[in-house]
Amino acid sequence: QSATTGREQLPPLPMSVAALLLLAPTLPSLAAEPRLIRRAHTLRFLSPVRRPGSEQARTRHFEQRQDARHGEPCPCSGDMRRRMLMQGLVVASLGAGLSSPAHADPLWGPKAFACCMATRMGSYETSVQQEKQRHFEDFYRAAARGDADTSRPLRILEVGVGPGPNMPLHAKASGGRVELTGVDVNEDMRPFATTNAKSADVAFQFVTGNAQGLPFDEGTFDGVVVTHVLCSVPNPQEALQEIARVIKPGGAFMFWEHVGSWDQPGLRMQQDLFNPLQQMFFQGCNLNRDSMREVQMCDGFDRVEGRRVYLGDRALLSPHALGIAYKA
């Protein structure tokens, strides 16, 4: 009980409740303009790229929607709704960050999250496919560098396999020479990953497990893959130590991660601002981590080769760190 009022102190609002309450003033604008829901879902309107003529087009549209009586923007205009939505998202993100700690009270359950990841990431995967395929091919050459028996399938572990979007990349990069094990904390990812593995003709086994406590013996795998995993694990260093432990000597670790922007202050500010909402909607995912530095700090690897590059079709997720770490 409170020492000053004698009443019970209320617990902090869950993150999702606080965010939805703070977002409530913008809900009428969302209902009036369904297209904004899709734009808010991908946050494409935050893109730092300005297309030629877009500012003039927005100005003309804004002038056409003036209120005849007062000369003020009409509340139902697209510009005003977009402004209201942005203000609501900013306030909701700040409230979410202040109301409860990270990784608490996700907005949706594991089944809904698995379905979302299986159906809503297609445009991103298409936009990065060529670069990602080359990276997988480099990884498989690194994983096979110390293997004299070319007839033996490579044993590869993918941590955070999710719904299995990388199955075709494994199949092509390995030339069919792979026995793939996928680990994910979300059991509801299993049917999606299994289906994608069958479609790609990849020998695959799904295991429910945690990146910070992999259920495998030391030196089990020729290589380990993670894509968009280090952004969401609670302790990246613990996860990396576990990954290094299960790789055999001479093996390789491939990482492909979205990270915080390193050279665009405006974009980095947006990532920092919206990070609480990102954690709430996407099960603890962080927009602003430096995963390259995390890999370089891990003492389980002898050498790290990586680079930072902007990829993909989603502004807040476009800064990437990708590379390969080698175990001596």
Side-chain angles (χ1 to χ4, degrees):
Q1 287 189 339
S2 170
T4 57
T5 65
R7 298 179 181 178
E8 285 189 359
Q9 290 183 331
L10 295 176
L13 281 174
M15 184 182 297
S16 59
V17 175
L20 289 174
L21 286 176
L22 290 166
L23 191 60
T26 67
L27 293 180
S29 68
L30 288 173
E33 179 66 348
R35 285 174 295 179
L36 287 182
I37 297 176
R38 291 196 296 273
R39 295 179 73 104
H41 177 74
T42 60
L43 296 175
R44 287 175 182 164
F45 60 87
L46 293 175
S47 173
V49 178
R50 287 191 177 274
R51 296 179 177 84
S54 61
E55 189 65 36
Q56 293 85 342
R58 282 197 296 270
T59 302
R60 287 196 300 271
H61 174 73
F62 182 76
E63 291 173 349
Q64 291 170 0
R65 299 300 293 270
Q66 295 286 314
D67 186 285
R69 295 173 301 172
H70 306 291
E72 295 295 330
C74 175
C76 63
S77 70
D79 289 320
M80 179 61 74
R81 283 195 295 268
R82 190 175 297 109
R83 190 181 308 169
M84 291 173 63
L85 176 61
M86 279 293 297
Q87 291 172 349
L89 285 173
V90 169
V91 174
S93 185
L94 291 173
L98 294 173
S99 64
S100 60
H103 307 292
D105 188 34
L107 188 62
W108 47 13
K111 184 171 290 187
F113 181 68
C115 184
C116 173
M117 297 303 293
T119 58
R120 300 296 294 176
M121 294 297 290
S123 64
Y124 166 81
E125 294 295 340
T126 300
S127 66
V128 301
Q129 183 177 11
Q130 293 184 354
E131 185 68 34
K132 205 173 187 182
Q133 183 67 62
R134 286 193 291 267
H135 196 44
F136 266 77
E137 290 169 359
D138 291 342
F139 161 71
Y140 270 92
R141 283 191 290 268
R145 64 194 171 115
D147 189 7
D149 184 5
T150 57
S151 63
R152 181 184 68 86
L154 293 172
R155 298 194 65 188
I156 302 298
L157 172 68
E158 182 166 352
V159 178
V161 66
N166 297 324
M167 296 301 175
L169 306 179
H170 284 289
K172 185 175 180 179
S174 68
R177 185 192 164 200
V178 61
E179 290 181 356
L180 181 64
T181 301
V183 170
D184 203 286
V185 71
N186 188 345
E187 171 65 24
D188 291 298
M189 296 290 188
R190 181 189 296 270
F192 298 108
T194 302
T195 298
N196 285 331
K198 288 181 179 179
S199 298
D201 196 23
V202 171
F204 175 68
Q205 176 188 13
F206 186 97
V207 176
T208 304
N210 192 308
Q212 295 174 208
L214 295 173
F216 306 105
D217 294 333
E218 184 175 340
T220 299
F221 298 97
D222 297 291
V224 175
V225 171
V226 298
T227 62
H228 301 314
V229 171
L230 299 178
C231 58
S232 58
V233 293
N235 190 322
Q237 280 303 311
E238 285 188 15
L240 288 167
Q241 291 292 344
E242 275 293 278
I243 288 170
R245 180 183 66 81
V246 301
I247 298 175
K248 73 175 188 180
F253 164 58
M254 188 202 99
F255 57 96
W256 174 287
E257 297 289 328
H258 70 82
V259 296
S261 177
W262 55 92
D263 63 353
Q264 294 190 22
L267 177 57
R268 180 55 185 257
M269 181 182 68
Q270 292 175 7
Q271 290 177 312
D272 292 340
L273 179 63
F274 283 88
N275 199 57
L277 275 183
Q278 178 77 3
Q279 290 180 319
M280 181 180 70
F281 278 93
F282 293 99
Q283 310 268 308
C285 173
N286 290 271
L287 292 169
N288 53 7
R289 276 191 178 167
D290 187 353
S291 296
M292 177 76 79
R293 181 173 176 271
E294 294 287 353
V295 177
Q296 292 170 339
M297 287 174 56
C298 179
D299 59 10
F301 301 109
D302 178 58
R303 176 167 53 99
V304 178
E305 296 178 356
R307 60 193 178 97
R308 294 181 173 92
V309 62
Y310 287 85
L311 294 169
D313 62 344
R314 306 181 184 194
L316 293 181
L317 302 179
S318 61
H320 281 64
L322 45 140
I324 298 173
Y326 299 86
K327 184 175 178 180

